[in-house]
Amino acid sequence: MKTQSPISLSTADSTPSSLRLSEETQQLLCCPVCAAQLELDESQLKCTNSLCQACFPIVNGIPILIDDEASVFAIDDYLDIDNSTLKPKPLWERQLINLIPSIHLNLKGKQNYQKFVALLQQRHSRPKVLVVGSSIRGQGMEPLYSAPDLELVETDVAFGADVSIICDAHSLPFADNSFDGVVIQAVLEHVVDPYQCVAEVHRVLKPEGVVYSETPFMQQVHLGRYDFTRFTHLGHQRLFRNFAEIASGSVCGTGMALAWSYQYFLLSFVKSSAARALVKTVARLTSFWLKYFDYILIDRAGTYDAASGFYFLGTKSDRTVSDRELLAQYKGAQASSF
């Protein structure tokens, strides 16, 4: 893992910065290839390391800080914004979906974000928070976006209304100890190496900085080819074994998991977009009520074995939780066979 130190973003000429970032945040930017200082001019950021000399374009004020050699994404993919922005569903499909109940229910997200924000506000007058995967706001994030004293630095691998930097979570282009908090919700299932991404989160957090994560467990593939991994509760905790846990548990329950499975069972019979939209409508109309069981079941032992998704809230630590300690934290309902 590259070690990145605080640097100054030098300017190649007298042209004012066009980046959608505060001056302070600009000073934290580093080359994602070699971690060296960056130089800013009108149209790009340049690495000042003579052995690297990587160049990164700025598109509509958004720097494209991608390591072409190491990432599954390429800088050239982002030169046309339309081709690198998540496409909304057709209008007729969105209108149809809005008329029917959802099968998704995040029961813990909002209160978890309230706790996350409160922890930051207790420690800092103006916390700086990195949001990894911000092109679409996750359910429950309202407390994060309504807090007036937070500075959010929003990143993704796709353009979006809130995105200020395009970067790959495997190589975050920031100096060590840059942020007071990091949010990484519904992202780690979509990366090829979640352990490397969490190591990067650990690196860019300040000492005792706060992290909040949500990942799916009993959910089917979404985002097609960009979907790789699922985590049990213990698996999610192990992913964050270099953090001191404040809280963790089920964020979406077994009722939602059952509704998703039923929907995807029906979807396995069809392929066209129109047929899939129709099947989703039928599935949701006939199974949306299952999610309401989660109000009763969300904290029960059996849910830890079958939840739709889990969360982790913790602080950066110098200590690694051992696997023996991890096993002792199992909260599910199944008796051990050892």
Side-chain angles (χ1 to χ4, degrees):
M1 183 177 66
K2 301 185 292 289
T3 298
Q4 301 182 340
S5 303
I7 52 92
S8 295
L9 186 66
S10 59
T11 306
D13 55 31
S14 59
T15 304
S17 167
S18 61
L19 304 184
R20 300 180 184 179
L21 300 165
S22 69
E23 290 295 329
E24 180 183 349
T25 300
Q26 290 183 40
Q27 306 308 311
L28 302 175
L29 293 177
C30 297
C31 174
V33 179
C34 71
Q37 181 176 349
L38 295 173
E39 182 180 77
L40 174 67
D41 66 19
E42 289 185 355
S43 60
Q44 62 184 351
L45 292 169
K46 299 178 181 178
C47 179
T48 58
N49 180 355
S50 60
L51 299 177
C52 178
Q53 296 185 322
C55 294
F56 308 97
I58 300 172
V59 179
N60 285 2
I62 301 173
I64 314 301
L65 296 176
I66 295 287
D67 182 351
D68 258 339
E69 297 299 320
S71 177
V72 298
F73 304 100
I75 289 176
D76 287 347
D77 296 337
Y78 297 94
L79 300 183
D80 184 345
I81 289 182
D82 289 339
N83 289 334
S84 47
T85 302
L86 291 177
K87 302 297 189 295
K89 297 179 186 298
L91 179 60
W92 67 268
E93 186 174 344
R94 281 180 281 146
Q95 290 175 333
L96 181 61
I97 289 173
N98 289 336
L99 292 175
I100 58 178
S102 171
I103 60 173
H104 191 87
L105 180 62
N106 186 320
L107 282 177
K108 296 291 188 72
K110 187 173 182 178
Q111 69 185 55
N112 290 340
Y113 276 110
Q114 289 172 340
K115 185 180 294 186
F116 174 82
V117 171
L119 286 168
L120 292 174
Q121 291 173 331
Q122 290 168 9
R123 304 176 185 195
H124 310 282
S125 58
R126 182 166 172 75
K128 189 185 296 291
V129 178
L130 174 65
V131 183
V132 181
S134 65
S135 62
I136 298 176
R137 292 188 185 183
Q139 195 173 57
M141 297 183 79
E142 296 84 1
L144 185 71
Y145 284 92
S146 61
D149 54 345
L150 299 187
E151 180 186 349
L152 302 182
V153 180
E154 301 179 74
T155 70
D156 208 317
V157 291
F159 289 106
D162 299 320
V163 174
S164 57
I165 299 174
I166 295 290
C167 66
D168 189 326
H170 295 85
S171 184
L172 294 173
F174 303 101
D176 296 356
N177 307 315
S178 291
F179 296 95
D180 303 299
V182 173
V183 168
I184 185 162
Q185 178 177 348
V187 171
L188 292 168
E189 70 271 29
H190 299 301
V191 301
V192 294
D193 189 343
Y195 283 92
Q196 180 179 339
C197 294
V198 173
E200 281 290 277
V201 169
H202 189 275
R203 180 184 63 76
V204 302
L205 269 174
K206 294 177 182 177
E208 298 187 354
V210 186
V211 66
Y212 180 70
S213 170
E214 292 181 12
T215 61
F217 176 41
M218 299 301 291
Q219 289 184 17
Q220 285 72 21
V221 167
H222 46 277
L223 281 187
R225 71 188 70 182
Y226 298 108
D227 195 337
F228 302 97
T229 313
R230 296 294 182 267
F231 299 94
T232 63
H233 179 239
L234 287 185
H236 197 200
Q237 287 177 295
R238 191 175 192 278
L239 190 59
F240 289 90
R241 64 193 184 278
N242 291 319
F243 294 81
E245 180 180 320
I246 296 172
S248 69
S250 306
V251 69
C252 303
T254 54
M256 176 178 156
L258 180 57
W260 269 58
S261 293
Y262 168 67
Q263 175 176 278
Y264 273 78
F265 166 71
L266 296 180
L267 286 172
S268 66
F269 290 95
V270 298
K271 186 174 182 180
S272 71
S273 297
R276 289 178 65 84
L278 179 60
V279 167
K280 286 181 181 180
T281 301
V282 173
R284 293 178 184 184
L285 284 173
T286 54
S287 68
F288 73 91
W289 52 273
L290 290 169
K291 67 186 179 185
Y292 296 117
F293 282 100
D294 292 340
Y295 284 103
I296 303 169
L297 301 174
I298 192 66
D299 291 320
R300 296 196 179 188
T303 297
Y304 280 86
D305 296 326
S308 180
F310 296 106
Y311 73 90
F312 180 91
L313 176 66
T315 56
K316 179 176 178 176
S317 174
D318 294 329
R319 179 180 177 276
T320 300
V321 176
S322 73
D323 288 335
R324 286 185 178 181
E325 291 177 279
L326 187 71
L327 293 177
Q329 297 175 25
Y330 173 67
K331 298 179 180 179
Q334 299 184 42
S336 173
S337 58
F338 295 98

